[in-house]
């Protein structure tokens, strides 16, 4: 894997930032993240920025202030408009999270006021960290999870481009295993996902339809209880994660042909500090991504197979 571009989206904005997401359409890249004084404080809001003509716009305050912290934005282009999902709720009460939805018709420069994505939501429906994907049958599927008690993951399926959702049952787990924040892909054998865990390994589950899931099982990649993301290219899978069991340094791209055995092909960061919560998308055979840089700013990068 060859690194093409690596840059800060901005130099300074808020004292802390985290949990970025991105979409790309043509030459325009839109990114979002949460930022404020400290994660979990009531001044933590959602910010966006747009890159066009080689330059990033200034960060735009996007979410409406609701007297509670905001978390984990996720961007999705449904072909008609950009959708921005994010969680609203208090630290330590993830089961009280609610998923909010904003919409943009101009590529991320302006946004509608947020609305509750699912009526009666308590716990956070829809995309919890990673991008939804569109399945071959046209449905949109998102990786979701619950932190109310033991961590568990599920999926949400949308048949109208990401506006309304049908949830799956929780993904079956071996005893003692806890997982959240799935990243999804589809191939000729069905729908698959990888998950962050509390058990020092990335876990995988498989499904014929994105609703009915098999028992999760560990793959041969360590996990440090931090976010990951994955994207398929034409002949391989590319995973971005911290392939370690503790800490949040050593952030790398890894490649696989089976979704179980991965090889590190590009180290993005290996210095002291926190480099975490990557998001990756595909642009042809190129990988575009973002990640948290020491909680101070967000990095945007591009890479492609050599």
């Amino acid at each position: 894997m060859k690194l093409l571009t690596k840059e800060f989206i901005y130099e300074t904005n808020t004292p802390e930032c985290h949990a970025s997401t991105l979409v790309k359409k043509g030459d325009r890249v839109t990114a979002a993240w949460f930022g404020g004084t400290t994660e979990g404080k009531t001044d933590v809001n959602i910010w966006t920025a747009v890159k066009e003509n080689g330059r990033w716009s200034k960060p735009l305050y996007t979410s409406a202030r609701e007297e509670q912290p905001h978390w984990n934005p996720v961007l999705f282009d449904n072909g008609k408009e950009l959708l921005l999902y994010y969680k609203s709720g208090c630290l330590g009460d993830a089961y009280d999270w609610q998923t909010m939805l904003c919409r943009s018709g101009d590529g991320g420069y302006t946004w509608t006021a947020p609305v509750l994505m699912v009526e009666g939501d308590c716990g956070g429906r829809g995309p919890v960290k990673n991008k939804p994907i569109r399945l071959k049958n046209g449905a949109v599927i998102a990786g979701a999870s619950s932190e109310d008690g033991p961590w568990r993951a599920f999926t949400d399926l949308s048949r109208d481009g990401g506006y309304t959702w049908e949830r799956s049952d929780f993904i079956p787990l071996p005893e003692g295993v806890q997982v959240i924040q799935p990243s999804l892909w589809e191939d000729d054998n069905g729908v698959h996902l990888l998950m962050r865990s509390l058990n020092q390994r990335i876990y995988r589950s498989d499904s014929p339809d994105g609703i009915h899931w098999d028992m999760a099982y560990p793959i041969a990649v360590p996990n440090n209880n931090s976010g990951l993301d994955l994207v398929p290219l034409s002949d391989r899978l590319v995973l971005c994660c911290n392939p370690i069991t503790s800490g949040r340094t050593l952030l790398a791209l890894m490649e696989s042909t089976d979704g179980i055995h991965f090889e590190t092909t590009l180290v993005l960061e290996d210095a002291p500090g926190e480099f975490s919560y990557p998001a990756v998308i595909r642009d042809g055979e190129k990988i575009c991504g973002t990640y948290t840089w020491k909680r101070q700013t967000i990095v945007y990068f591009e890479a492609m197979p050599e």
Side-chain angles (χ1 to χ4, degrees):
M1 191 68 67
K2 179 182 179 181
L3 184 65
L4 303 177
T5 300
K6 189 168 78 168
E7 62 192 15
F8 294 141
I9 292 178
Y10 59 90
E11 292 292 337
T12 57
N13 184 45
T14 55
E16 280 197 7
C17 64
H18 195 40
S20 58
T21 176
L22 77 160
V23 294
K24 189 173 190 292
K25 193 165 188 175
D27 292 330
R28 182 174 60 208
V29 182
T30 306
W33 61 93
F34 72 69
T37 53
T38 304
E39 179 177 351
K41 299 295 185 182
T42 56
D43 68 353
V44 173
N45 298 292
I46 306 302
W47 298 82
T48 56
V50 180
K51 183 179 183 179
E52 283 196 292
N53 301 317
R55 299 185 64 179
W56 286 98
S57 67
K58 291 183 178 180
L60 169 70
Y61 169 77
T62 300
S63 59
R65 193 175 300 278
E66 300 166 19
E67 303 306 322
Q68 55 187 352
H70 298 156
W71 314 77
N72 295 11
V74 177
L75 287 165
F76 178 63
D77 184 349
N78 70 0
K80 298 179 181 179
E81 59 185 352
L82 285 188
L83 304 182
L84 171 65
Y85 309 93
Y86 68 90
K87 300 293 187 278
S88 179
C90 297
L91 183 66
D93 292 317
Y95 56 89
D96 283 335
W97 274 356
Q98 293 182 312
T99 302
M100 310 303 293
L101 171 63
C102 303
R103 301 157 61 177
S104 175
D106 59 8
Y109 287 104
T110 61
W111 295 90
T112 62
V115 297
L116 187 62
M117 191 190 80
V118 175
E119 191 67 33
D121 175 22
C122 184
R125 293 286 303 278
V128 67
K129 174 199 172 290
N130 294 317
K131 60 192 177 295
I133 64 169
R134 191 176 292 275
L135 300 177
K136 296 174 184 177
N137 64 12
V140 173
I141 188 170
S145 52
S146 169
E147 298 177 44
D148 178 11
W151 287 4
R152 298 170 292 176
F154 60 98
T155 54
D156 255 316
L157 197 70
S158 175
R159 304 184 191 278
D160 61 2
Y163 300 109
T164 63
W165 298 86
E166 167 195 355
R167 65 159 291 169
S168 74
D169 291 334
F170 286 117
I171 295 165
L173 298 173
E175 185 176 356
V177 173
Q178 298 189 51
V179 297
I180 54 172
Q181 299 174 351
S183 182
L184 295 127
W185 78 100
E186 183 182 24
D187 61 21
D188 292 339
N189 297 313
V191 187
H192 318 275
L193 51 77
L194 298 183
M195 298 171 285
R196 164 186 176 178
S197 87
L198 288 174
N199 301 82
Q200 298 191 320
R201 284 290 181 273
I202 292 174
Y203 273 72
R204 171 174 167 165
S205 183
D206 308 295
S207 169
D209 55 11
I211 290 291
H212 304 91
W213 291 93
D214 295 338
M215 178 70 70
Y217 56 95
I219 68 168
V221 181
N223 184 241
N224 60 337
N225 185 26
S226 185
L228 56 89
D229 198 13
L230 171 144
V231 67
L233 297 182
S234 58
D235 61 349
R236 72 195 76 186
L237 299 169
V238 180
L239 169 66
C240 193
C241 67
N242 303 109
I244 50 178
T245 57
S246 64
R248 288 188 174 183
T249 189
L250 183 57
L251 182 69
L253 294 181
M254 309 181 77
E255 297 181 41
S256 173
T257 57
D258 62 8
I260 297 173
H261 304 90
F262 286 82
E263 176 185 1
T264 298
T265 54
L266 178 65
V267 173
L268 293 167
E269 302 283 357
D270 61 1
E274 178 180 346
F275 309 99
S276 63
Y277 261 59
V280 289
I281 59 173
R282 175 180 178 176
D283 180 21
E285 290 301 293
K286 183 169 63 177
I287 300 295
C288 303
T290 56
Y291 60 88
T292 298
W293 191 90
K294 297 185 178 181
R295 298 267 177 158
Q296 297 173 18
T297 186
I298 303 297
V299 168
Y300 171 74
F301 71 91
E302 297 178 359
M304 67 184 307
E306 294 190 89

